[in-house]
Amino acid sequence: PSSSKSLTVFILSVSSDIGTGLALRYLSQGATVCGTYRTQLPEELSNHPKFHSLQCDVALPKSRSEIAAFLEKFSLRWDVFISC
């Protein structure tokens, strides 16, 4: 999108190369970005004020409730959902 200022983007596996690239692109356009990672969060995302992250393994059944609680904690609803 040409303008992402009011968008909230949720990226499963934001730590993948594609996920990180997309997150940085949306953040540079003013979007709020939320993402999951399994082991390590990319440093270039970790301190961005409009980025929220959750460490979890989406292969585990409990991750669904963890993601729901995470989104509720920040009162977030996604406009764009990306699975990497």
Side-chain angles (χ1 to χ4, degrees), residues 14-16 20 37 40-47:
V14 75
S15 56
S16 69
T20 299
Y37 66 100
Q40 188 171 353
L41 185 63
E43 191 173 321
E44 60 264 43
L45 294 174
S46 63
N47 292 319

Side-chain angles (χ1 to χ4, degrees), residues 8-12 14 23 27 32-36 50-54 70-71 74 76-78 80 82:
T8 298
V9 180
F10 187 86
I11 302 175
L12 280 179
V14 75
L27 288 167
T32 297
V33 177
C34 310
T36 64
K50 294 189 84 175
F51 178 74
H52 306 279
S53 62
L54 173 68
F70 166 75
L71 292 170
F74 292 103
L76 296 169
R77 294 183 183 266
W78 67 69
V80 178
I82 301 169

